[in-house]
Amino acid sequence: MTATTPHTKDGVFYFPVRIFYEDTDAGGVVYHSNYLNFCERARTEWLRSMGNPRGALKEQFGVMFAVRRANIEWNKPARLDDHLVIETRLQEIGKVRMAMQQIVTRDGVTLAVVEIELVCINDEFMPTALPDALLAKLPAFAS
């Protein structure tokens, strides 16, 4: 089953992505770094789905997220006009960080697996505690 709209089911956030010409190389294959862009969009919409758009986190709590670590395993290529789904799973929650797994699929086939560690930072780019308002919502997404 292919998701056509962002939604959450059983603690997993599903975000659809259509592959456009701009996402591909001359051979019509998705350029490797674009997988990080797709996952970034999915994480942004995941936060928005909880009522925490990134702008509000900055304005209300003075925090933002920085990627501390990313690991990608590519299994199969995505191509022009493919319809992908980015599955976002929260794996760990710490005082200042979150670890996530994002799986890129096409028709249920895993194309790439991305392991991401995010750190909550303040205006001075120093690690800071995750806001309580966000922490209260995260357990519903923890695997």
Side-chain angles (χ1 to χ4, degrees):
M1 180 176 138
T2 300
T4 56
T5 58
H7 68 279
T8 300
K9 181 179 180 187
D10 299 328
V12 179
F13 182 72
Y14 297 87
F15 182 74
V17 173
R18 172 71 68 191
I19 301 303
F20 295 104
Y21 185 74
E22 67 187 22
D23 300 319
T24 65
D25 62 16
V29 174
V30 171
Y31 190 67
H32 70 280
S33 66
N34 281 335
Y35 290 86
L36 289 171
N37 296 334
F38 303 152
C39 289
E40 177 74 23
R41 291 179 206 160
R43 289 192 309 275
T44 298
E45 291 304 315
W46 172 70
L47 286 169
R48 187 184 319 279
S49 76
M50 288 186 279
N52 294 298
R54 289 196 178 201
L57 287 172
K58 178 87 166 102
E59 291 171 13
Q60 293 175 356
F61 305 109
V63 301
M64 31 191 178
F65 289 103
V67 174
R68 181 177 180 274
R69 181 182 55 83
N71 184 49
I72 305 173
E73 181 180 328
W74 290 275
N75 298 320
K76 295 185 181 292
R79 299 181 185 278
L80 180 64
D81 210 35
D82 277 354
H83 186 263
L84 309 181
V85 176
I86 315 303
E87 302 173 10
T88 300
R89 293 168 169 78
L90 182 60
Q91 294 185 307
E92 291 180 43
I93 307 165
K95 182 178 178 184
V96 299
R97 67 176 200 86
M98 295 185 287
M100 309 173 101
Q101 181 184 63
Q102 294 185 277
I103 301 173
V104 181
T105 66
R106 179 186 55 230
D107 298 325
V109 175
T110 299
L111 304 183
V113 178
V114 181
E115 305 283 342
I116 292 280
E117 182 178 350
L118 302 174
V119 176
C120 186
I121 58 174
N122 61 22
D123 288 335
E124 288 79 39
F125 298 96
M126 297 299 296
T128 191
L130 289 160
D132 290 337
L134 179 59
L135 277 172
K137 297 174 185 176
L138 292 178
F141 292 93
S143 58

